[in-house]
Amino acid sequence: MAERSRIRLEVEGLVQGVGFRPTVHRLTTQLGLSGFIRNTSQGAELELEGQPDQVTQFVPQLQQQAPVLARIRRVSTVSIPPTGETGFHILPSVGETLPDTQVSPDVGICEDCLREMRDPKDRRYRHPFLNCTNCGPRFTIVQSVPYDRKRTAMGVFPMCEECQGEYTDITDRRYHAQPTCCPNCGPTLTYLDGAGQAVEGAPIRLAQARLRQGGIVAVKGLGGFHLACLPEYASRLRQRKEREGKPLALMCADVDAARALCHLSPEEEKALGSWRRPIVLLRKRNPAPDVLSHTPELGIMLPYTPLHYLLMEGFSALVMTSANPSDCPVFISNQAAVEGLQGIADGFLLHNRDIVTRCDDSLLRIFRGKEYPLRRSRGYVPQPLEVPIPVHGLLGCGAEQKAGFALGKGQDALLSQHIGDLKNMETLEHYQTQLHHFRTLFGVEVEGLACDLHPDYLSTQVAQQLSRELNVPLLQVQHHHAHMLSCMADNGLTGPCIGLVWDGTGLGTDGTIWGAECLAGDAHGFTRLASISPIRLPGGDACTRDPQRIAHSLLVEAGLEEHSIAPQAQLLTLQLKAGLNCPPASSMGRLFDGVYALLGGSSPVHYEGESAIRLEHMAQDDITQALPVEVETVDGVCRLNTPALTAALMERKAAGDSPHLLAAQFMNAMVELAVKQCQFARKHTGLNRVVLSGGVFQNMYLLPRILDALAAQGFRAYHHSRVSTNDEGIALGQLIAAAARRKEG
């Protein structure tokens, strides 16, 4: 008998529910190998036996031919004595405790399943829930691992004989596809009217008819409910949902429908059609404000479930926005949706598969050929991000707005899906539920915590409570330092950098509000080197809703109070002079709000960041002239002279410069400020690398100009591409800070 060899392999990473075992079977057949494979809590375990040269070919070929969705992190092999085993076998999963594997994000429907759904001869013709090993629900239906059907929301749907046959046939595309089903054994659709009463007939046809009549239909999706309507009835949706101003996303039937509405680069088209199926911000062909968006951009996504494709038949586009009450998480249960959307929805397209985990649509733009995340959620979560420092057992609890957390596992950061703003009990409960779910799903025992410096953030209070319950250390990380570390980790950077962090507000180490910071440091600490002179905020948080308050404060500081158009100008002046509830804030976000109001912008605003977004799109694009930038050094911090900038703005406004010109001149001044402050930081530290983070860098007028201006001065500048630049990304920075603290001992 010819010499034989046998090896045992342990494969770690995302290898369950992605077609890994059929790929292994195909390779073993090609190479003439025998043995077995089984899922484990760590990933997969294999033993292979055959001719030595064939055995040695297996690992390289596996890494080359792995399924698209698989993420092989590590393969360890050891030689063991051959047994003479013949054939290749799939063994039951092992490892019921302390799971150490990864879970796939939800995957948009693949082309093979789409063809079957449209084929009248196929037994899954027009089935709203078909999927296979390469597509379908994953994260939103998984209850625990190892990833088997009984541990998902599909466990209550026993497979029919035909589906069972496909499921157990390793040569079939649906081999061990846990959510697989057909019309005989899968979930079913129902349609309810606006009062929540069942309506007889074909549910999808009924929903389509209601949409054509101008109705609003609540549609149960993968990670939550959407509210759908024809674009021409978007005003009705806004009125009922009380969502004035905030842009609405569209689901387009296909790429051609998207292209009819928006300009589409090859990279944007690729992102739209990827298996992640995010909402992509695109430039409108008609840039004028409309009922969907007051900006020249529109959020577009393509269908990503069979149900979406069926619903979209006959429509080129539908408004598709999250179905949730103001500031609350999106609905995931049928009962909650029917009760909570009374008076908003005219009909409900429901199914009876539970959503285990809510997960909103992801939102991104393409910036210089790469993804620039604005909301990292469905299709991305819980895929881990490898970071440059071990973070196992650590938990970053995030911020107050755009809340999220980051759980460390080995050298991976597991970032939560979009949670929302922690303003109410429903969102807080969602946040705490997901903290528990991630810890148990990924088998991580928390050994240390990190949170924001602000004591009033609910995320801080949750972290403090967890620290006491688990008896583990808690590190409070300054808000803008966490932003800086987040961008460093996003780019795989270690060692000291300059951090240019511009956002709304965050508590500084001196107890005041920061938000226009130039820092220098690394994961172990930082020095504040530059900012802007503080702006007093009469009424505190009220200024975020009424930027005229900020505009008045800017004018008072510049000695130009007589130019104020604030309705309550006299009261605001008295308040500022008395210093009553007028906290000072060195906030770039609040400066943008105030400048927008000075240029005639509307007030009050309807959603967070609206003034800054409107100011961005107010700016004339071809202007190179800037307002004069005066800086002064106060206590070692290079600060923008904000009153001088206000005075220059008002002088040019009085001279007749248009708001479009002045908006551009103001932002060009901010580009100059960024360069001056980074030069100041380089002079004092010798550092040449700059990371840009914070919500202000969602501004596509500023970001490219600052990057180019810094490069022209010899800086190496970095921006986000895997993690959101807004507060959603802060948890990652906190995680890195906690890891550095642990390393220090």
Side-chain angles (χ1 to χ4, degrees), residues 287-359:
D290 57 36
V291 69
L292 297 174
S293 167
H294 58 75
T295 76
E297 295 181 313
L298 195 57
I300 299 285
M301 61 178 158
L302 298 183
Y304 53 86
T305 70
L307 177 58
H308 288 144
Y309 275 98
L310 293 169
L311 182 64
M312 292 295 297
E313 290 176 345
F315 302 112
S316 62
L318 289 173
V319 173
M320 200 72 74
T321 189
S322 297
N324 60 301
S326 180
D327 297 325
C328 290
V330 64
F331 290 118
I332 60 172
S333 82
N334 292 351
Q335 181 179 350
V338 171
E339 292 176 357
L341 296 173
Q342 289 293 312
I344 298 176
D346 299 304
F348 298 85
L349 184 57
L350 310 177
H351 60 73
N352 58 342
R353 183 181 67 205
D354 288 342
I355 298 172
V356 175
T357 301
R358 60 168 50 87
C359 202

Side-chain angles (χ1 to χ4, degrees), residues 112 268 309 478 501:
D112 290 328
E268 288 166 339
Y309 275 98
Q478 198 279 323
V501 184

Side-chain angles (χ1 to χ4, degrees), residues 392-686:
H392 188 82
L394 300 175
L395 176 63
C397 293
E400 180 88 336
Q401 292 186 320
K402 298 179 175 62
F405 56 83
L407 182 64
K409 186 176 179 69
Q411 206 158 323
D412 286 336
L414 296 159
L415 273 63
S416 74
Q417 70 273 43
H418 168 75
I419 301 291
D421 296 348
L422 299 181
K423 295 179 179 178
N424 51 56
M425 289 305 298
E426 292 88 350
T427 309
L428 179 61
E429 182 180 346
H430 175 33
Y431 174 84
Q432 292 175 307
T433 298
Q434 287 308 297
L435 274 175
H436 177 75
H437 186 53
F438 268 65
R439 289 163 57 197
T440 54
L441 187 63
F442 298 105
V444 175
E445 295 289 338
V446 175
E447 303 167 2
L449 294 154
C451 67
D452 197 88
L453 200 61
H454 203 302
D456 294 335
Y457 282 3
L458 289 176
S459 56
T460 300
Q461 294 170 18
V462 169
Q464 291 169 337
Q465 181 180 344
L466 271 175
S467 176
R468 292 190 295 268
E469 289 177 359
L470 301 176
N471 193 27
V472 297
L474 172 64
L475 174 67
Q476 291 191 261
V477 184
Q478 198 279 323
H479 190 91
H480 302 93
H481 186 212
H483 263 305
M484 172 183 170
L485 298 180
S486 174
C487 192
M488 288 173 62
D490 196 343
N491 289 278
L493 301 178
T494 58
C497 291
I498 297 169
L500 194 65
V501 184
W502 290 357
D503 68 354
T505 59
L507 183 64
T509 54
D510 60 0
T512 66
I513 299 171
W514 292 3
E517 309 312 309
C518 184
L519 313 176
D522 56 19
H524 301 279
F526 72 94
T527 301
R528 187 191 194 201
L529 292 173
S531 187
I532 66 175
S533 57
I535 305 165
R536 291 187 295 161
L537 304 179
D541 287 344
C543 288
T544 62
R545 300 181 295 275
D546 184 4
Q548 284 291 350
R549 290 172 173 265
I550 306 172
H552 185 84
S553 179
L554 289 171
L555 291 171
V556 169
E557 292 294 329
L560 299 169
E561 178 189 343
E562 67 275 11
H563 294 284
S564 177
I565 61 171
Q568 66 280 49
Q570 290 183 337
L571 288 175
L572 290 175
T573 299
L574 290 173
Q575 186 176 5
L576 287 163
K577 288 182 177 179
L580 295 173
N581 191 21
C582 296
S586 60
S587 165
M588 188 62 75
R590 298 295 81 81
L591 178 60
F592 270 62
D593 292 347
V595 168
Y596 173 68
L598 288 174
L599 296 182
S602 59
S603 185
V605 297
H606 304 101
Y607 62 93
E608 187 262 334
E610 180 181 357
S611 295
I613 292 170
R614 288 182 179 273
L615 182 65
E616 171 189 352
H617 295 294
M618 181 187 285
Q620 193 172 328
D621 196 52
D622 57 352
I623 302 301
T624 57
Q625 185 182 10
L627 295 174
V629 176
E630 294 183 20
V631 295
E632 52 191 0
T633 302
V634 179
D635 297 329
V637 177
C638 177
R639 300 195 321 191
L640 170 71
N641 186 329
T642 310
L645 184 76
T646 302
L649 178 74
M650 297 306 293
E651 180 182 349
R652 293 190 181 180
K653 182 180 178 182
D657 285 357
S658 72
H660 302 286
L661 176 61
L662 290 172
Q665 291 176 346
F666 165 72
M667 284 193 281
N668 290 341
M670 296 304 97
V671 175
E672 289 189 18
L673 176 68
V675 173
K676 284 187 176 184
Q677 292 187 335
C678 287
Q679 288 174 326
F680 181 87
R682 179 165 60 184
K683 178 181 177 181
H684 286 78
T685 65

